[in-house]
Amino acid sequence: MTRPSTLVITGASSGIGRALAFEYAAGGARVALAARRAEQLEITLHGVRQRGGTGLCIPLDVTDTAAVREAVERADRELGGLDMVIANAGFGGQQHASRVQWRDISPMIRTNVDGAMATLLAAVPIMMARSSGHLVGISSLAGRRALPESAAYCASKAALSAFLESLRIDLHRAGIRVTDVQPGFVATAITANAKHPTPLLWPADRAARFIARRLERSPPIVAFPWPLALLTALGRRIPAWLYDRIMRGI
């Protein structure tokens, strides 16, 4: 498989989203950059152009699902068709369950779940009309099993992973590929404020190179780094009573 020549990336103002934009721009891709922070998007666009790509900025709050649909449709029109859509916008946070309030959880669910799902769904009719395209969601290894003080974040990423799996099953015959990208710890704003250890932390540009290479083959899942991917896979097989004891000790 080849890399996409046109794509839209949400959360493109920083972190993995910006790094992916730069990675694809180096191959001459046309990239629609979407995020809330317009000034940061312009910085990303400048970097895209420096690396040989072209693009456009679409200021967007993914919690506005109607605006998400309009943004994806605009990107499709202005780029001359979309090869790939990457639902990357999201954020994390930690808080003990005894102190968490719905007002703390709601913005994360609206962004990580509603926003991501709306982004992917907006592209489905576009890609079905052409019988081609690649839908990509950036979830997390944290979605494989719950972590302490991370109920909302883990739940949001688990929801996205399940959604992507169902899309992959449903859209296969339509010629649409679907990939769930499950990073471990990547140097972004999320990990910068983490209160827990962040083992095997990858720079965002390394993560972007790895993701882009793996996506060329359109695998169902891209999980990294492999030691954490293996550990979390094994962790899913641990009985609940034992897993609880281990997590309480962290």
Side-chain angles (χ1 to χ4, degrees), residues 30-117:
R30 303 191 301 278
V31 190
L33 309 167
R36 290 178 303 160
R37 298 175 293 174
E39 317 81 27
Q40 293 299 315
L41 277 183
E42 291 294 339
I43 294 173
T44 303
L45 180 59
H46 179 69
V48 163
R49 289 169 175 166
Q50 282 187 320
R51 288 162 176 79
T54 59
L56 68 145
C57 295
I58 305 178
L60 174 69
D61 182 346
V62 296
T63 65
D64 183 344
T65 54
V68 168
R69 185 184 66 254
E70 293 173 4
V72 173
E73 291 174 350
R74 176 188 168 189
D76 181 61
R77 288 193 309 270
E78 297 195 22
L79 296 181
L82 286 173
D83 298 326
M84 178 182 287
V85 171
I86 302 179
N88 167 73
F91 69 95
Q94 289 181 276
Q95 194 167 22
H96 194 276
S98 63
R99 297 186 298 274
V100 71
Q101 301 292 321
W102 178 248
R103 64 176 177 269
D104 303 317
I105 293 178
S106 180
M108 189 182 299
I109 298 301
R110 291 178 62 205
T111 301
N112 296 7
V113 181
D114 296 7
M117 292 182 180

Side-chain angles (χ1 to χ4, degrees), residues 177-214:
R177 293 155 284 143
V178 181
T179 299
D180 179 6
V181 176
Q182 301 175 353
F185 297 110
V186 178
T188 65
I190 293 176
T191 53
N193 299 317
K195 301 175 184 177
H196 53 70
T198 54
L200 301 176
L201 182 73
W202 280 22
D205 57 349
R206 180 184 178 186
R209 285 194 301 272
F210 182 88
I211 293 168
R213 285 198 303 268
R214 294 301 187 275

Side-chain angles (χ1 to χ4, degrees), residues 151-238:
Y153 182 72
C154 291
S156 71
K157 294 304 185 179
L160 179 55
S161 287
F163 184 74
L164 288 161
E165 185 170 31
S166 188
L167 289 186
R168 190 173 67 247
I169 295 167
D170 289 348
L171 299 175
H172 174 73
R173 292 186 179 179
I176 301 173
R177 293 155 284 143
V178 181
T179 299
D180 179 6
V181 176
Q182 301 175 353
F185 297 110
V186 178
T188 65
I190 293 176
T191 53
N193 299 317
K195 301 175 184 177
H196 53 70
T198 54
L200 301 176
L201 182 73
W202 280 22
D205 57 349
R206 180 184 178 186
R209 285 194 301 272
F210 182 88
I211 293 168
R213 285 198 303 268
R214 294 301 187 275
L215 288 180
E216 291 177 16
R217 299 186 177 184
S218 307
I221 296 173
V222 174
F224 65 94
W226 74 262
L228 285 182
L230 177 60
L231 187 62
T232 53
L234 294 174
R236 298 173 79 170
R237 299 177 177 272
I238 297 175

